[in-house]
DNA sequence: AGTTCATGCAATATATATTTTACATAATGT
DNA sequence: ACATTATGTAAAATATATATTGCATGAACT
């Protein structure tokens, strides 16, 4: 599923996909694919994204689907 | 780094590494390596582990290292 | 209309997570 | 002493995340 929360957090910080990619040390495509929900990033990358966007794992990557 | 929080959560539930592995659909070795901090699981696997142990991502995988 | 900017989206290549199999060890019970 | 149980660990094989390159598109601007 698409990660809309991550996209919103990025836009709140006025960052392009490419900006975020550069900060966390991956390519623009990787960020785009994660936001599009096309895969399944590593924990390390998730944490790097959270720190770059000033959020926690739960805030960006946790879904309350019982 | 070792994931001691995950190990504690597993033991609180009285599960062996193998039990947890079976619930989340990976091998015992994968669980052991994650607890040992020898790698870097995927987000999907982290979420499966959290749900199996009744915890959230922040509770098991977030480190407050400023 | 043309140009730049941000993003979407493929194909192939590379790095790495995960599996499989197997053996070692420490702890516990008989 | 022996067997069993839970875990650590390692090598090779496989699956998949990520990089790289390149092209397409829609929005905003001149």
């Amino acid at each position: 599923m698409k990660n809309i929360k991550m996209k919103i957090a990025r836009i709140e910080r006025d960052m392009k996909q490419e900006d975020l990619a550069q900060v966390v040390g991956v390519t623009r495509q990787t960020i785009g694919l994660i936001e599009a929900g096309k895969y399944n990033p590593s924990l390390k990358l998730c944490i790097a994204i959270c720190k770059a966007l000033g959020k926690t794992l739960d805030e960006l990557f946790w879904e309350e689907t019982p």
Side-chain angles (χ1 to χ4, degrees), chain A:
Chain A
M1 54 215 151
K2 292 178 62 171
N3 192 331
I4 192 72
K5 292 188 283 186
M6 174 174 154
K7 184 169 191 169
I8 290 174
R10 173 174 62 80
I11 292 177
E12 280 176 353
R13 294 240 157 183
D14 195 26
M15 298 175 86
K16 304 160 206 161
Q17 288 185 347
E18 193 164 0
D19 297 329
L20 178 57
Q22 204 165 353
V23 171
V24 305
V26 295
T27 60
R28 173 179 72 80
Q29 283 76 355
T30 299
I31 299 297
L33 287 168
I34 293 170
E35 286 186 357
K38 298 267 175 85
Y39 56 60
N40 195 15
S42 68
L43 175 61
K44 202 164 119 188
L45 178 51
C46 290
I47 290 175
I49 290 171
C50 286
K51 293 191 171 171
L53 297 178
K55 302 283 184 180
T56 71
L57 286 169
D58 283 358
E59 288 171 329
L60 294 190
F61 296 103
W62 186 252
E63 298 286 340
E64 284 299 348
T65 51

PDB file of all heavy atoms in Angstrom, chain A residues 6 10 15-28 30-32 34 41-42 44-54 60-61, chain D residues 18-19:
ATOM      1  N   MET A   6       4.309   9.095   4.887  1.00  0.00           N
ATOM      2  CA  MET A   6       5.684   9.482   4.601  1.00  0.00           C
ATOM      3  C   MET A   6       5.722  10.634   3.598  1.00  0.00           C
ATOM      4  O   MET A   6       6.482  11.584   3.752  1.00  0.00           O
ATOM      5  CB  MET A   6       6.444   8.268   4.064  1.00  0.00           C
ATOM      6  CG  MET A   6       7.849   8.572   3.600  1.00  0.00           C
ATOM      7  SD  MET A   6       8.702   7.032   3.156  1.00  0.00           S
ATOM      8  CE  MET A   6       9.896   7.676   1.978  1.00  0.00           C
ATOM      9  N   ARG A  10       7.246  14.363   4.273  1.00  0.00           N
ATOM     10  CA  ARG A  10       8.276  14.936   3.401  1.00  0.00           C
ATOM     11  C   ARG A  10       7.858  16.309   2.894  1.00  0.00           C
ATOM     12  O   ARG A  10       8.649  17.267   2.927  1.00  0.00           O
ATOM     13  CB  ARG A  10       8.546  13.995   2.227  1.00  0.00           C
ATOM     14  CG  ARG A  10       9.475  14.574   1.178  1.00  0.00           C
ATOM     15  CD  ARG A  10       9.833  13.584   0.109  1.00  0.00           C
ATOM     16  NE  ARG A  10       8.704  13.101  -0.661  1.00  0.00           N
ATOM     17  CZ  ARG A  10       8.126  13.765  -1.656  1.00  0.00           C
ATOM     18  NH1 ARG A  10       8.564  14.976  -1.990  1.00  0.00           N
ATOM     19  NH2 ARG A  10       7.102  13.263  -2.312  1.00  0.00           N
ATOM     20  N   MET A  15      10.556  19.080   1.202  1.00  0.00           N
ATOM     21  CA  MET A  15      11.647  18.352   0.553  1.00  0.00           C
ATOM     22  C   MET A  15      11.117  17.624  -0.674  1.00  0.00           C
ATOM     23  O   MET A  15      10.001  17.089  -0.661  1.00  0.00           O
ATOM     24  CB  MET A  15      12.261  17.322   1.513  1.00  0.00           C
ATOM     25  CG  MET A  15      12.888  17.915   2.744  1.00  0.00           C
ATOM     26  SD  MET A  15      13.470  16.610   3.884  1.00  0.00           S
ATOM     27  CE  MET A  15      15.102  16.281   3.241  1.00  0.00           C
ATOM     28  N   LYS A  16      11.944  17.608  -1.719  1.00  0.00           N
ATOM     29  CA  LYS A  16      11.645  16.779  -2.879  1.00  0.00           C
ATOM     30  C   LYS A  16      12.075  15.345  -2.572  1.00  0.00           C
ATOM     31  O   LYS A  16      12.880  15.121  -1.658  1.00  0.00           O
ATOM     32  CB  LYS A  16      12.403  17.287  -4.106  1.00  0.00           C
ATOM     33  CG  LYS A  16      12.126  18.728  -4.427  1.00  0.00           C
ATOM     34  CD  LYS A  16      13.244  19.281  -5.298  1.00  0.00           C
ATOM     35  CE  LYS A  16      13.368  20.783  -5.137  1.00  0.00           C
ATOM     36  NZ  LYS A  16      14.678  21.298  -5.589  1.00  0.00           N
ATOM     37  N   GLN A  17      11.575  14.420  -3.351  1.00  0.00           N
ATOM     38  CA  GLN A  17      12.033  13.029  -3.211  1.00  0.00           C
ATOM     39  C   GLN A  17      13.553  12.982  -3.297  1.00  0.00           C
ATOM     40  O   GLN A  17      14.207  12.256  -2.551  1.00  0.00           O
ATOM     41  CB  GLN A  17      11.427  12.150  -4.306  1.00  0.00           C
ATOM     42  CG  GLN A  17       9.945  11.875  -4.132  1.00  0.00           C
ATOM     43  CD  GLN A  17       9.405  10.907  -5.167  1.00  0.00           C
ATOM     44  OE1 GLN A  17      10.070  10.622  -6.168  1.00  0.00           O
ATOM     45  NE2 GLN A  17       8.206  10.412  -4.937  1.00  0.00           N
ATOM     46  N   GLU A  18      14.083  13.771  -4.183  1.00  0.00           N
ATOM     47  CA  GLU A  18      15.529  13.748  -4.368  1.00  0.00           C
ATOM     48  C   GLU A  18      16.259  14.310  -3.145  1.00  0.00           C
ATOM     49  O   GLU A  18      17.335  13.823  -2.784  1.00  0.00           O
ATOM     50  CB  GLU A  18      15.895  14.542  -5.615  1.00  0.00           C
ATOM     51  CG  GLU A  18      17.319  14.315  -6.056  1.00  0.00           C
ATOM     52  CD  GLU A  18      17.555  14.789  -7.489  1.00  0.00           C
ATOM     53  OE1 GLU A  18      16.586  15.282  -8.103  1.00  0.00           O
ATOM     54  OE2 GLU A  18      18.694  14.663  -7.961  1.00  0.00           O
ATOM     55  N   ASP A  19      15.701  15.340  -2.524  1.00  0.00           N
ATOM     56  CA  ASP A  19      16.316  15.869  -1.302  1.00  0.00           C
ATOM     57  C   ASP A  19      16.395  14.795  -0.226  1.00  0.00           C
ATOM     58  O   ASP A  19      17.457  14.561   0.378  1.00  0.00           O
ATOM     59  CB  ASP A  19      15.505  17.059  -0.768  1.00  0.00           C
ATOM     60  CG  ASP A  19      15.464  18.226  -1.728  1.00  0.00           C
ATOM     61  OD1 ASP A  19      16.447  18.406  -2.485  1.00  0.00           O
ATOM     62  OD2 ASP A  19      14.455  18.953  -1.741  1.00  0.00           O
ATOM     63  N   LEU A  20      15.257  14.170   0.015  1.00  0.00           N
ATOM     64  CA  LEU A  20      15.213  13.139   1.045  1.00  0.00           C
ATOM     65  C   LEU A  20      16.175  12.000   0.718  1.00  0.00           C
ATOM     66  O   LEU A  20      16.912  11.513   1.586  1.00  0.00           O
ATOM     67  CB  LEU A  20      13.785  12.604   1.196  1.00  0.00           C
ATOM     68  CG  LEU A  20      13.576  11.480   2.200  1.00  0.00           C
ATOM     69  CD1 LEU A  20      14.049  11.880   3.587  1.00  0.00           C
ATOM     70  CD2 LEU A  20      12.111  11.056   2.239  1.00  0.00           C
ATOM     71  N   ALA A  21      16.173  11.601  -0.543  1.00  0.00           N
ATOM     72  CA  ALA A  21      17.067  10.530  -0.968  1.00  0.00           C
ATOM     73  C   ALA A  21      18.512  10.865  -0.635  1.00  0.00           C
ATOM     74  O   ALA A  21      19.257  10.030  -0.110  1.00  0.00           O
ATOM     75  CB  ALA A  21      16.910  10.294  -2.467  1.00  0.00           C
ATOM     76  N   GLN A  22      18.888  12.096  -0.912  1.00  0.00           N
ATOM     77  CA  GLN A  22      20.267  12.479  -0.683  1.00  0.00           C
ATOM     78  C   GLN A  22      20.596  12.466   0.814  1.00  0.00           C
ATOM     79  O   GLN A  22      21.659  11.991   1.222  1.00  0.00           O
ATOM     80  CB  GLN A  22      20.513  13.866  -1.273  1.00  0.00           C
ATOM     81  CG  GLN A  22      21.969  14.126  -1.610  1.00  0.00           C
ATOM     82  CD  GLN A  22      22.134  15.331  -2.519  1.00  0.00           C
ATOM     83  OE1 GLN A  22      21.132  15.892  -2.994  1.00  0.00           O
ATOM     84  NE2 GLN A  22      23.364  15.738  -2.769  1.00  0.00           N
ATOM     85  N   VAL A  23      19.661  12.953   1.627  1.00  0.00           N
ATOM     86  CA  VAL A  23      19.903  12.986   3.069  1.00  0.00           C
ATOM     87  C   VAL A  23      20.083  11.569   3.631  1.00  0.00           C
ATOM     88  O   VAL A  23      20.962  11.327   4.454  1.00  0.00           O
ATOM     89  CB  VAL A  23      18.764  13.713   3.799  1.00  0.00           C
ATOM     90  CG1 VAL A  23      18.891  13.559   5.307  1.00  0.00           C
ATOM     91  CG2 VAL A  23      18.736  15.180   3.424  1.00  0.00           C
ATOM     92  N   VAL A  24      19.245  10.642   3.195  1.00  0.00           N
ATOM     93  CA  VAL A  24      19.327   9.296   3.762  1.00  0.00           C
ATOM     94  C   VAL A  24      20.283   8.392   2.988  1.00  0.00           C
ATOM     95  O   VAL A  24      20.514   7.244   3.395  1.00  0.00           O
ATOM     96  CB  VAL A  24      17.944   8.625   3.861  1.00  0.00           C
ATOM     97  CG1 VAL A  24      16.990   9.503   4.657  1.00  0.00           C
ATOM     98  CG2 VAL A  24      17.377   8.323   2.500  1.00  0.00           C
ATOM     99  N   GLY A  25      20.813   8.887   1.893  1.00  0.00           N
ATOM    100  CA  GLY A  25      21.845   8.127   1.193  1.00  0.00           C
ATOM    101  C   GLY A  25      21.338   7.017   0.296  1.00  0.00           C
ATOM    102  O   GLY A  25      21.969   5.973   0.167  1.00  0.00           O
ATOM    103  N   VAL A  26      20.178   7.252  -0.340  1.00  0.00           N
ATOM    104  CA  VAL A  26      19.732   6.318  -1.375  1.00  0.00           C
ATOM    105  C   VAL A  26      19.403   7.130  -2.617  1.00  0.00           C
ATOM    106  O   VAL A  26      19.603   8.347  -2.658  1.00  0.00           O
ATOM    107  CB  VAL A  26      18.496   5.503  -0.928  1.00  0.00           C
ATOM    108  CG1 VAL A  26      18.834   4.589   0.241  1.00  0.00           C
ATOM    109  CG2 VAL A  26      17.339   6.412  -0.589  1.00  0.00           C
ATOM    110  N   THR A  27      18.880   6.462  -3.618  1.00  0.00           N
ATOM    111  CA  THR A  27      18.537   7.161  -4.846  1.00  0.00           C
ATOM    112  C   THR A  27      17.085   7.652  -4.789  1.00  0.00           C
ATOM    113  O   THR A  27      16.279   7.170  -3.995  1.00  0.00           O
ATOM    114  CB  THR A  27      18.700   6.252  -6.067  1.00  0.00           C
ATOM    115  OG1 THR A  27      17.832   5.137  -5.923  1.00  0.00           O
ATOM    116  CG2 THR A  27      20.138   5.791  -6.184  1.00  0.00           C
ATOM    117  N   ARG A  28      16.798   8.597  -5.669  1.00  0.00           N
ATOM    118  CA  ARG A  28      15.436   9.132  -5.775  1.00  0.00           C
ATOM    119  C   ARG A  28      14.421   8.024  -6.044  1.00  0.00           C
ATOM    120  O   ARG A  28      13.316   8.034  -5.506  1.00  0.00           O
ATOM    121  CB  ARG A  28      15.428  10.141  -6.923  1.00  0.00           C
ATOM    122  CG  ARG A  28      14.093  10.673  -7.308  1.00  0.00           C
ATOM    123  CD  ARG A  28      14.209  11.685  -8.430  1.00  0.00           C
ATOM    124  NE  ARG A  28      14.533  11.073  -9.720  1.00  0.00           N
ATOM    125  CZ  ARG A  28      13.645  10.475 -10.503  1.00  0.00           C
ATOM    126  NH1 ARG A  28      12.383  10.384 -10.130  1.00  0.00           N
ATOM    127  NH2 ARG A  28      14.002   9.968 -11.660  1.00  0.00           N
ATOM    128  N   THR A  30      14.431   4.943  -5.124  1.00  0.00           N
ATOM    129  CA  THR A  30      14.118   4.180  -3.915  1.00  0.00           C
ATOM    130  C   THR A  30      13.069   4.896  -3.081  1.00  0.00           C
ATOM    131  O   THR A  30      12.083   4.285  -2.633  1.00  0.00           O
ATOM    132  CB  THR A  30      15.397   3.954  -3.100  1.00  0.00           C
ATOM    133  OG1 THR A  30      16.319   3.195  -3.894  1.00  0.00           O
ATOM    134  CG2 THR A  30      15.106   3.207  -1.827  1.00  0.00           C
ATOM    135  N   ILE A  31      13.227   6.191  -2.889  1.00  0.00           N
ATOM    136  CA  ILE A  31      12.216   6.952  -2.148  1.00  0.00           C
ATOM    137  C   ILE A  31      10.865   6.887  -2.861  1.00  0.00           C
ATOM    138  O   ILE A  31       9.831   6.635  -2.229  1.00  0.00           O
ATOM    139  CB  ILE A  31      12.667   8.418  -1.994  1.00  0.00           C
ATOM    140  CG1 ILE A  31      13.993   8.489  -1.208  1.00  0.00           C
ATOM    141  CG2 ILE A  31      11.582   9.242  -1.307  1.00  0.00           C
ATOM    142  CD1 ILE A  31      13.911   7.990   0.201  1.00  0.00           C
ATOM    143  N   GLY A  32      10.893   7.094  -4.163  1.00  0.00           N
ATOM    144  CA  GLY A  32       9.647   7.052  -4.917  1.00  0.00           C
ATOM    145  C   GLY A  32       8.932   5.720  -4.783  1.00  0.00           C
ATOM    146  O   GLY A  32       7.714   5.673  -4.598  1.00  0.00           O
ATOM    147  N   ILE A  34       9.199   3.526  -2.341  1.00  0.00           N
ATOM    148  CA  ILE A  34       8.680   3.327  -0.980  1.00  0.00           C
ATOM    149  C   ILE A  34       7.375   4.102  -0.808  1.00  0.00           C
ATOM    150  O   ILE A  34       6.384   3.571  -0.295  1.00  0.00           O
ATOM    151  CB  ILE A  34       9.721   3.762   0.068  1.00  0.00           C
ATOM    152  CG1 ILE A  34      10.929   2.824   0.005  1.00  0.00           C
ATOM    153  CG2 ILE A  34       9.113   3.754   1.465  1.00  0.00           C
ATOM    154  CD1 ILE A  34      12.110   3.292   0.821  1.00  0.00           C
ATOM    155  N   PRO A  41      11.125  -1.524   2.409  1.00  0.00           N
ATOM    156  CA  PRO A  41      12.485  -1.070   2.723  1.00  0.00           C
ATOM    157  C   PRO A  41      13.079  -1.820   3.908  1.00  0.00           C
ATOM    158  O   PRO A  41      12.378  -2.511   4.636  1.00  0.00           O
ATOM    159  CB  PRO A  41      12.273   0.399   3.087  1.00  0.00           C
ATOM    160  CG  PRO A  41      10.874   0.490   3.551  1.00  0.00           C
ATOM    161  CD  PRO A  41      10.108  -0.537   2.792  1.00  0.00           C
ATOM    162  N   SER A  42      14.372  -1.669   4.082  1.00  0.00           N
ATOM    163  CA  SER A  42      15.019  -2.255   5.249  1.00  0.00           C
ATOM    164  C   SER A  42      14.761  -1.380   6.476  1.00  0.00           C
ATOM    165  O   SER A  42      14.468  -0.187   6.361  1.00  0.00           O
ATOM    166  CB  SER A  42      16.519  -2.354   5.009  1.00  0.00           C
ATOM    167  OG  SER A  42      17.092  -1.061   4.963  1.00  0.00           O
ATOM    168  N   LYS A  44      16.872  -0.290   8.590  1.00  0.00           N
ATOM    169  CA  LYS A  44      17.879   0.773   8.665  1.00  0.00           C
ATOM    170  C   LYS A  44      17.449   1.978   7.836  1.00  0.00           C
ATOM    171  O   LYS A  44      17.563   3.125   8.278  1.00  0.00           O
ATOM    172  CB  LYS A  44      19.215   0.213   8.141  1.00  0.00           C
ATOM    173  CG  LYS A  44      20.432   0.941   8.604  1.00  0.00           C
ATOM    174  CD  LYS A  44      21.677   0.074   8.344  1.00  0.00           C
ATOM    175  CE  LYS A  44      22.672   0.731   7.413  1.00  0.00           C
ATOM    176  NZ  LYS A  44      23.782  -0.183   7.026  1.00  0.00           N
ATOM    177  N   LEU A  45      16.937   1.706   6.645  1.00  0.00           N
ATOM    178  CA  LEU A  45      16.487   2.805   5.792  1.00  0.00           C
ATOM    179  C   LEU A  45      15.265   3.493   6.385  1.00  0.00           C
ATOM    180  O   LEU A  45      15.178   4.732   6.377  1.00  0.00           O
ATOM    181  CB  LEU A  45      16.198   2.275   4.386  1.00  0.00           C
ATOM    182  CG  LEU A  45      15.661   3.280   3.378  1.00  0.00           C
ATOM    183  CD1 LEU A  45      16.518   4.535   3.321  1.00  0.00           C
ATOM    184  CD2 LEU A  45      15.555   2.635   2.003  1.00  0.00           C
ATOM    185  N   CYS A  46      14.348   2.730   6.919  1.00  0.00           N
ATOM    186  CA  CYS A  46      13.168   3.326   7.566  1.00  0.00           C
ATOM    187  C   CYS A  46      13.597   4.284   8.674  1.00  0.00           C
ATOM    188  O   CYS A  46      13.065   5.397   8.792  1.00  0.00           O
ATOM    189  CB  CYS A  46      12.275   2.244   8.161  1.00  0.00           C
ATOM    190  SG  CYS A  46      11.413   1.228   6.955  1.00  0.00           S
ATOM    191  N   ILE A  47      14.544   3.858   9.481  1.00  0.00           N
ATOM    192  CA  ILE A  47      14.990   4.698  10.589  1.00  0.00           C
ATOM    193  C   ILE A  47      15.664   5.965  10.058  1.00  0.00           C
ATOM    194  O   ILE A  47      15.428   7.065  10.563  1.00  0.00           O
ATOM    195  CB  ILE A  47      15.927   3.893  11.512  1.00  0.00           C
ATOM    196  CG1 ILE A  47      15.113   2.829  12.261  1.00  0.00           C
ATOM    197  CG2 ILE A  47      16.640   4.810  12.504  1.00  0.00           C
ATOM    198  CD1 ILE A  47      15.944   1.877  13.112  1.00  0.00           C
ATOM    199  N   ALA A  48      16.460   5.813   9.025  1.00  0.00           N
ATOM    200  CA  ALA A  48      17.105   6.990   8.441  1.00  0.00           C
ATOM    201  C   ALA A  48      16.063   7.978   7.923  1.00  0.00           C
ATOM    202  O   ALA A  48      16.190   9.195   8.111  1.00  0.00           O
ATOM    203  CB  ALA A  48      18.043   6.559   7.318  1.00  0.00           C
ATOM    204  N   ILE A  49      15.025   7.461   7.291  1.00  0.00           N
ATOM    205  CA  ILE A  49      13.962   8.329   6.781  1.00  0.00           C
ATOM    206  C   ILE A  49      13.257   9.022   7.936  1.00  0.00           C
ATOM    207  O   ILE A  49      13.002  10.236   7.890  1.00  0.00           O
ATOM    208  CB  ILE A  49      12.969   7.506   5.932  1.00  0.00           C
ATOM    209  CG1 ILE A  49      13.637   7.065   4.624  1.00  0.00           C
ATOM    210  CG2 ILE A  49      11.714   8.307   5.649  1.00  0.00           C
ATOM    211  CD1 ILE A  49      12.837   6.068   3.815  1.00  0.00           C
ATOM    212  N   CYS A  50      12.944   8.273   8.987  1.00  0.00           N
ATOM    213  CA  CYS A  50      12.286   8.872  10.155  1.00  0.00           C
ATOM    214  C   CYS A  50      13.115  10.018  10.719  1.00  0.00           C
ATOM    215  O   CYS A  50      12.585  11.101  11.010  1.00  0.00           O
ATOM    216  CB  CYS A  50      12.075   7.811  11.232  1.00  0.00           C
ATOM    217  SG  CYS A  50      10.748   6.653  10.863  1.00  0.00           S
ATOM    218  N   LYS A  51      14.391   9.789  10.879  1.00  0.00           N
ATOM    219  CA  LYS A  51      15.225  10.827  11.476  1.00  0.00           C
ATOM    220  C   LYS A  51      15.324  12.034  10.553  1.00  0.00           C
ATOM    221  O   LYS A  51      15.329  13.180  11.018  1.00  0.00           O
ATOM    222  CB  LYS A  51      16.596  10.253  11.824  1.00  0.00           C
ATOM    223  CG  LYS A  51      16.474   9.230  12.945  1.00  0.00           C
ATOM    224  CD  LYS A  51      17.791   8.785  13.553  1.00  0.00           C
ATOM    225  CE  LYS A  51      17.496   7.937  14.804  1.00  0.00           C
ATOM    226  NZ  LYS A  51      18.682   7.277  15.373  1.00  0.00           N
ATOM    227  N   ALA A  52      15.386  11.788   9.261  1.00  0.00           N
ATOM    228  CA  ALA A  52      15.444  12.905   8.321  1.00  0.00           C
ATOM    229  C   ALA A  52      14.166  13.733   8.361  1.00  0.00           C
ATOM    230  O   ALA A  52      14.200  14.940   8.125  1.00  0.00           O
ATOM    231  CB  ALA A  52      15.688  12.384   6.908  1.00  0.00           C
ATOM    232  N   LEU A  53      13.048  13.097   8.664  1.00  0.00           N
ATOM    233  CA  LEU A  53      11.769  13.795   8.631  1.00  0.00           C
ATOM    234  C   LEU A  53      11.262  14.154  10.029  1.00  0.00           C
ATOM    235  O   LEU A  53      10.162  14.705  10.167  1.00  0.00           O
ATOM    236  CB  LEU A  53      10.723  12.945   7.905  1.00  0.00           C
ATOM    237  CG  LEU A  53      11.025  12.652   6.433  1.00  0.00           C
ATOM    238  CD1 LEU A  53       9.956  11.769   5.825  1.00  0.00           C
ATOM    239  CD2 LEU A  53      11.157  13.948   5.638  1.00  0.00           C
ATOM    240  N   GLY A  54      12.034  13.855  11.058  1.00  0.00           N
ATOM    241  CA  GLY A  54      11.624  14.203  12.420  1.00  0.00           C
ATOM    242  C   GLY A  54      10.409  13.441  12.905  1.00  0.00           C
ATOM    243  O   GLY A  54       9.566  13.986  13.625  1.00  0.00           O
ATOM    244  N   LEU A  60       5.405   6.940  10.879  1.00  0.00           N
ATOM    245  CA  LEU A  60       5.495   6.825   9.424  1.00  0.00           C
ATOM    246  C   LEU A  60       5.161   5.441   8.877  1.00  0.00           C
ATOM    247  O   LEU A  60       4.660   5.327   7.762  1.00  0.00           O
ATOM    248  CB  LEU A  60       6.901   7.214   8.945  1.00  0.00           C
ATOM    249  CG  LEU A  60       7.301   8.665   9.144  1.00  0.00           C
ATOM    250  CD1 LEU A  60       8.589   8.957   8.404  1.00  0.00           C
ATOM    251  CD2 LEU A  60       6.208   9.620   8.704  1.00  0.00           C
ATOM    252  N   PHE A  61       5.449   4.406   9.659  1.00  0.00           N
ATOM    253  CA  PHE A  61       5.382   3.066   9.056  1.00  0.00           C
ATOM    254  C   PHE A  61       4.458   2.084   9.756  1.00  0.00           C
ATOM    255  O   PHE A  61       4.371   0.927   9.368  1.00  0.00           O
ATOM    256  CB  PHE A  61       6.791   2.460   8.979  1.00  0.00           C
ATOM    257  CG  PHE A  61       7.728   3.217   8.087  1.00  0.00           C
ATOM    258  CD1 PHE A  61       8.701   4.057   8.620  1.00  0.00           C
ATOM    259  CD2 PHE A  61       7.621   3.107   6.705  1.00  0.00           C
ATOM    260  CE1 PHE A  61       9.568   4.771   7.793  1.00  0.00           C
ATOM    261  CE2 PHE A  61       8.484   3.814   5.880  1.00  0.00           C
ATOM    262  CZ  PHE A  61       9.454   4.645   6.418  1.00  0.00           C
TER     263      PHE A  61
ATOM    264  P    DT D  18      15.825  -1.209   0.577  1.00  0.00           P
ATOM    265  OP1  DT D  18      16.534  -0.850   1.827  1.00  0.00           O
ATOM    266  OP2  DT D  18      14.475  -0.704   0.351  1.00  0.00           O
ATOM    267  O5'  DT D  18      16.750  -0.764  -0.640  1.00  0.00           O
ATOM    268  C5'  DT D  18      18.153  -0.951  -0.512  1.00  0.00           C
ATOM    269  C4'  DT D  18      18.850  -0.643  -1.810  1.00  0.00           C
ATOM    270  O4'  DT D  18      18.449  -1.577  -2.819  1.00  0.00           O
ATOM    271  C3'  DT D  18      18.577   0.743  -2.418  1.00  0.00           C
ATOM    272  O3'  DT D  18      19.758   1.505  -2.325  1.00  0.00           O
ATOM    273  C2'  DT D  18      18.159   0.449  -3.856  1.00  0.00           C
ATOM    274  C1'  DT D  18      18.660  -0.972  -4.058  1.00  0.00           C
ATOM    275  N1   DT D  18      17.949  -1.741  -5.093  1.00  0.00           N
ATOM    276  C2   DT D  18      18.677  -2.290  -6.129  1.00  0.00           C
ATOM    277  O2   DT D  18      19.889  -2.159  -6.223  1.00  0.00           O
ATOM    278  N3   DT D  18      17.941  -2.999  -7.057  1.00  0.00           N
ATOM    279  C4   DT D  18      16.581  -3.195  -7.046  1.00  0.00           C
ATOM    280  O4   DT D  18      16.031  -3.845  -7.933  1.00  0.00           O
ATOM    281  C5   DT D  18      15.865  -2.602  -5.938  1.00  0.00           C
ATOM    282  C7   DT D  18      14.381  -2.762  -5.835  1.00  0.00           C
ATOM    283  C6   DT D  18      16.580  -1.916  -5.028  1.00  0.00           C
ATOM    284  P    DA D  19      19.957   2.806  -3.247  1.00  0.00           P
ATOM    285  OP1  DA D  19      20.958   3.628  -2.565  1.00  0.00           O
ATOM    286  OP2  DA D  19      18.659   3.378  -3.618  1.00  0.00           O
ATOM    287  O5'  DA D  19      20.659   2.198  -4.554  1.00  0.00           O
ATOM    288  C5'  DA D  19      21.884   1.519  -4.414  1.00  0.00           C
ATOM    289  C4'  DA D  19      22.638   1.453  -5.739  1.00  0.00           C
ATOM    290  O4'  DA D  19      21.929   0.604  -6.664  1.00  0.00           O
ATOM    291  C3'  DA D  19      22.837   2.779  -6.463  1.00  0.00           C
ATOM    292  O3'  DA D  19      24.119   2.765  -7.072  1.00  0.00           O
ATOM    293  C2'  DA D  19      21.718   2.794  -7.508  1.00  0.00           C
ATOM    294  C1'  DA D  19      21.539   1.316  -7.811  1.00  0.00           C
ATOM    295  N9   DA D  19      20.171   0.919  -8.085  1.00  0.00           N
ATOM    296  C8   DA D  19      19.072   1.214  -7.330  1.00  0.00           C
ATOM    297  N7   DA D  19      17.956   0.701  -7.799  1.00  0.00           N
ATOM    298  C5   DA D  19      18.351   0.031  -8.936  1.00  0.00           C
ATOM    299  C6   DA D  19      17.641  -0.717  -9.890  1.00  0.00           C
ATOM    300  N6   DA D  19      16.320  -0.932  -9.836  1.00  0.00           N
ATOM    301  N1   DA D  19      18.341  -1.252 -10.918  1.00  0.00           N
ATOM    302  C2   DA D  19      19.662  -1.054 -10.972  1.00  0.00           C
ATOM    303  N3   DA D  19      20.436  -0.363 -10.134  1.00  0.00           N
ATOM    304  C4   DA D  19      19.708   0.151  -9.137  1.00  0.00           C
TER     305       DA D  19
END
